[in-house]
Amino acid sequence: MKLPRQFFKPLAIGAPAPYRELPVQLERMIHFVPPHLEKMRAKVPDIAKQVDVVLGNLEDAIPSDAKEAARRGFIEMAKATDFGATGLWTRINCLNSPWVLDDIVEIVGEIGAKLDVIMLPKVEGAWDVHYLDQLLAQLEAKHAIGKPILIHAILETAEGVKNVEEIASASPRMHGMSLGPADLAASRAMKTTRVGGGHPDYKVLADADGDKPRAGYQQDLWHYTVGKMVDACAANGIKPFYGPFGDFSDLAACESQFRNAFLQGCVGAWSLHPTQIDIAKRVFSPDPGEVAFALKILEAMPDGAGAVMIDGKMQDDATWKQAKVIVDLARIVAAKDPEMGKTYGL
Ligand code: GLV
Ligand code: MG
């Protein structure tokens, strides 16, 4: 393991120093765009105003014969669009593919200064992050890029889940992680063809009561992995996300999956369809009632010390910190989204 002092040194002469703290950035939804399609690229300036992150997808769902068109299309849309405070990310092809080297070299060379985060699929261990980390430092130095490009891993193989803690702490360039339920299901030989969400056969049966029909309650297939990912991320000061929800016709199930992830500690999810943007906005913005209560706590305990009672509930140092998490997030939401800001009274 690297010594702490070495950990924060740039990996190439002339590369920017790694961040010690992640930039404060609202990332409730990572909106996927297939950049080989001109019709989709044309919508990007509009979409960029509605979402927190625009991601040009180069990996799965892009046909093999369109990989180069997707890469060129992403570079074109990145150059042509003013993203303002909206994040610009790309999901590159996986490290054992024939496309990934050109993805990284061309994209960083042409629009590296505008790119916030590279999403790296099928990460199996820290070694995958180290490879990209070193290559990015070399390219940042070569192209005089002033701020580090961050790495976001997709947790979507059994080996990746086994190594999740090493992945989370592999580099100061780590931004966070997303659960990839489709590839992960395949990697683990789970018996589902769904992309995220529950399964009618994954349930707990109520106790038998004579001949009466027994109720069955569906369980969350992803609970264990999300919990493991959240702990690995929180322990390393990086951000956990739920990934894709594939059934675009079931908005309620999508909302429920996103909400479970939010309550477990995730900060955002992927939106693969425009209807999922509003769901993510609703779920991953703090609740106005919670914000109002959190503001009361901060007002009653300006320096966070001691203990007070508010509406019959005990408040102390720990709840002051919880309140601060919520109010800090509400302020970031309000800055990006004045409508939500009004509901918070900020
Ligand atoms: C996402 O990439 C997934 O495999 O679910
Ligand atoms: Mg995948």
Side-chain angles (χ1 to χ4, degrees), residues 59-60 91 121-122 154-156 179-184 244 270:
E59 200 224 10
D60 292 355
R91 177 169 80 165
K122 302 181 179 72
I154 311 182
L155 195 60
E156 55 181 350
L179 172 76
D183 271 300
L184 184 55
W270 301 2

Side-chain angles (χ1 to χ4, degrees), residues 181 194-199 218-222 242 244-245 253 257:
R194 300 178 175 202
V195 177
H199 191 287
Q218 250 180 260
Q219 308 291 302
D220 184 350
L221 270 174
W222 307 106
Y242 176 78
F245 190 87
Q257 180 75 77

Side-chain angles (χ1 to χ4, degrees), residues 158-180:
E159 192 172 3
V161 175
K162 179 183 141 290
N163 293 324
V164 66
E165 287 165 27
E166 288 80 3
I167 294 169
S169 61
S171 161
R173 211 187 270 283
M174 281 301 294
H175 161 277
M177 252 180 248
S178 289
L179 172 76

